[in-house]
Amino acid sequence: MTHAQLEVLLQRLTDLLAEALRAEPLDLRVGHKVADELVAAHIVSAEALGRTVEVIQLRLVRDLDLVADDIEDRMARLLGAVATGYARALRDRTLDEQESIRRAAMTARAEAEQALRASEARFRHQATHDPLTDLPNRTLFAERLAAAVDASAGSGRRVGLCFLDLDRFKRVNDSFGHQIGDRALVAAARRLRRAVEPHLVARLGGDAFVVLVERSTGTGDVVAVAEAALAALSEPVVVDGHDVTVTASVGIVERRVAGTSPDDLMRAAGSTLHWAKSAGGAGWALYDAERDGREQARQELCAAIPAGLERGEFFLDYQPLTSLHDGSLLGVEALVRWRHPRLGVLRPDKFIGLAEETGLIVPLGGWVLAEACREAVGWTSTSGEPPYVSVNLAVRQVRRPGLVQEVRALLRRTGLPPNRLQLEITESTMMTTSEEPVRALRALADLGIRIAIDDFGTGYSNLAYLRDLPVTELKVAGEFVRGLRTPEARADERILASLVSLAHALDLTVTAEGVETGGQAERLRAIGCDAGQGWHFGRPASPDHILARIR
């Protein structure tokens, strides 16, 4: 309180004491009241009571000019009441403060415990649920799936999964922005949850969801869930006035719980989802154990390619490219083989496609090119020019920066003359808007390297485009040659004759692939084809066999 307020209080208490001293009988409760008010006003320092007694004893009687026989006795009794009341008030105040502190501590502890429980609960809306869609997340789904498998392991029950992924959802984000994309995702999640109830639907991340059918009675149950999910997503979602259309692909797995595991189920569902997407999306695919086994074997084979290169498991055979005019050996095509430690010798059709899909064709193709140049440089002929070696280049190799420098360095390192190297490319390799592949081929041709178009006739067959390429040879696909086995096959013969005529008009030589009989060779010679390749002229053979033939 202010000084003025303090004076008012003390004046009032003084008046109370003065009245008590004059009053009959003496009311000691006034002393208690004065003491209570002093303590209530926080006048509780060590000097407060002593100063109060001093003022009352020395000043009050004199100022009031009180004269009575018992005034000293009355004063002593009143001061005792003040002192007693002061001590009691201080005690009660201390006890009240202690109780208040205790209650405050209890309240704070209770509030802290409640906040901790709330925080733990929030940590659990964060650890087990997706913050965007509020669906169960991968963690909770994994727990539920594991519990379903464990609980039903010996009961003969079945379980099903629908692994769902929105098709091309990135386009939604790219077209409308991530904010609208997120809202569309939330709307899709809400529809999914309603459509598949009471089954658990979880968001695994991105635009991927999964539905757990815990007690399936067969494939039909899970297919019905998948179709309900697809139907729920078929209508456009309206977000901020935008019609956002999404479709989905679903991979379905349904099987007995016995003998399976959560990881097996999820892996199988993921593979099946990939099949559904490969089929164009907006539909479902059902798990096929045989197909899955084949694909797993392919993936294992693909994963073994780098180690196979390091261990020297790959080797080259060579197939002759023979002149149809005089039967001389013009060149040989390098064909890669894989001496697999478990599967035996594998032909290119078993692993080249895998290597191209995964990008491993770049190191594998680089090894083939280097090995072919290294072996060919040692081929010498007692008469005439030694044969050139022809090597296939994959699309990734041709479009890869640094191809020209790589080939130039390889020729320099091995000492193979550029005119004894032929690089085979497919028509589709050149069908690109980029100028880099064409520029690279021109630079290779300027070095003196031969450029051939392989399997001509099976792709675009754009002769007008071919006119502008630095190509020296066309290799006609074996599909056309196969028809020359019978005399009646005039259509294939006319097609081949036209191709040969057009190629010669462009100053290109023509090699026919897949020549298996003398009759085919004769008819090709008659229409002016320059060279042939096939079993009739020789099967793929080792470098030693080729060297023996050259000599």
Side-chain angles (χ1 to χ4, degrees), residues 30-60:
V30 173
H32 297 160
K33 177 177 175 57
V34 168
D36 287 343
E37 291 206 31
L38 286 173
V39 172
H42 302 290
I43 303 175
V44 292
S45 66
E47 298 83 6
L49 179 60
R51 185 61 175 156
T52 298
V53 171
E54 178 184 351
V55 170
I56 295 173
Q57 190 173 15
L58 299 180
R59 303 291 300 273
L60 186 59

Side-chain angles (χ1 to χ4, degrees), residues 425-428 431 453-463 466 474-481 492 495-496 499 510-511 513:
I425 60 173
T426 60
E427 297 173 70
S428 59
M431 297 303 158
I453 300 293
D454 191 21
D455 287 330
F456 188 78
T458 59
Y460 297 94
S461 301
N462 190 333
L463 287 173
L466 191 65
L474 294 185
K475 298 187 72 177
V476 179
E479 285 84 340
F480 297 103
V481 178
D492 285 337
I495 292 173
L496 282 169
L499 288 177
V510 181
T511 297
E513 299 179 305

Side-chain angles (χ1 to χ4, degrees), residues 114-129:
Q114 183 178 4
L116 178 62
R117 287 192 295 271
S119 176
E120 290 174 345
R122 286 194 299 272
F123 176 78
R124 284 192 296 270
H125 291 342
Q126 295 174 359
T128 62
H129 282 73

